Amino acid sequence: MTIRLLLADDETMIRAGVRAILAADPGIEVVAEAADGRAAVEAARAHRPDVALLDIRMPGLDGLGACEQIARVAPDTAVAMLTTFSEDAYIARALSGGATGFLLKAGDPYELLAGVRAVAAGGAFLSPRVARHVIAELGGERLSRAAAARARTDVLTPRERDVLALLGAGLSNAEIARRLHLVEGTVKGHVSAVLDRLGVGNRVQAAIVAHEAGLVAAEAPTPPARRGGA
């Protein structure tokens, strides 16, 4: 299938160069172009492309803001950022805003084509230079968050940790009760205690702590064996 692409960059020469590279792949069609973020959002709304390739620095609404809006108005459109910059703030905000690709304008043309194809297929793609930067600069933060999450969950009782692990896996109170052979009211009490001990306001925030602490990746708690038969 042909990948339908929206290209947004405020520099006409850059757009022409990127379009020429994309034209080398017969499986990619540029269906719309934009010179600023607001025009990119409207083009995404009108054309529903498979991929939006956005420059970060554009007048008015920049590519980061456009990425966040496209995620709302055209949720089926995958977004890849195209830039000459690789600072932490750009990478972190782009990825948290819904982008699944981060490509450098100075990168290899084949890298650009590979990135477009990867995000169109539902995957993620960071140019090698950006990937190295993320590992070097952001890896320590991720490890720190994991350590902090583990420290927070250390205050929980073993049963509360079991409940948190299943909550992090997306189970409802009723499902947790069945897995742990508890009554639903008891599970509600454990969930309330977990939220209070972790200092979080809702189940989603608790689930994030569970994932960061590595509880969800661990094997789910095994219910106690029943006596006297199956």
Side-chain angles (χ1 to χ4, degrees):
M1 293 179 61
T2 300
I3 298 170
R4 302 173 66 256
L5 184 138
L6 159 66
L7 173 60
D9 194 300
D10 62 322
E11 297 185 46
T12 304
M13 291 295 291
I14 294 293
R15 286 206 313 276
V18 172
R19 186 172 63 246
I21 293 171
L22 297 173
D25 189 326
I28 299 174
E29 177 188 3
V30 177
V31 296
E33 294 186 32
D36 60 70
R38 296 194 189 285
V41 174
E42 289 308 310
R45 191 199 309 267
H47 294 274
R48 305 285 172 165
D50 301 306
V51 176
L53 188 58
L54 310 177
D55 181 30
I56 283 188
R57 291 196 172 181
M58 293 187 289
L61 182 68
D62 64 14
L64 298 171
C67 172
E68 294 165 355
Q69 290 194 25
I70 289 173
R72 292 194 294 270
V73 304
D76 292 333
T77 296
V79 177
M81 309 307 300
L82 181 65
T83 183
T84 57
F85 306 96
S86 58
E87 290 88 349
D88 291 352
Y90 289 127
I91 297 171
R93 186 180 162 194
L95 298 179
S96 66
T100 54
F102 207 103
L103 306 168
L104 297 180
K105 292 180 181 179
D108 190 301
Y110 293 103
E111 184 181 298
L112 174 64
L113 297 174
V116 168
R117 288 198 162 278
V119 298
F125 189 94
L126 296 180
S127 76
R129 209 168 93 193
V130 172
R132 287 193 295 271
H133 185 74
V134 170
I135 292 169
E137 301 297 328
L138 304 184
E141 177 184 341
R142 180 179 175 185
L143 293 175
S144 297
R145 287 172 65 89
R150 286 193 294 270
R152 292 171 73 182
T153 59
D154 282 345
V155 305
L156 303 179
T157 67
R159 178 57 82 195
E160 288 168 349
R161 285 170 64 87
D162 290 346
V163 170
L164 177 60
L166 295 175
L167 187 156
L171 274 64
S172 67
N173 286 351
E175 290 168 331
I176 294 173
R178 286 194 294 272
R179 289 286 295 273
L180 299 179
H181 296 290
L182 300 172
V183 298
E184 190 171 345
T186 300
V187 172
K188 282 187 69 174
H190 283 314
V191 170
S192 295
V194 167
L195 298 184
D196 184 60
R197 287 174 181 269
L198 295 181
V200 297
N202 56 52
R203 297 169 70 95
V204 172
Q205 293 172 351
I208 292 172
V209 175
H211 279 275
E212 290 179 340
L215 295 180
V216 180
E219 186 176 353
T222 302
R226 297 182 181 228
R227 297 179 181 273

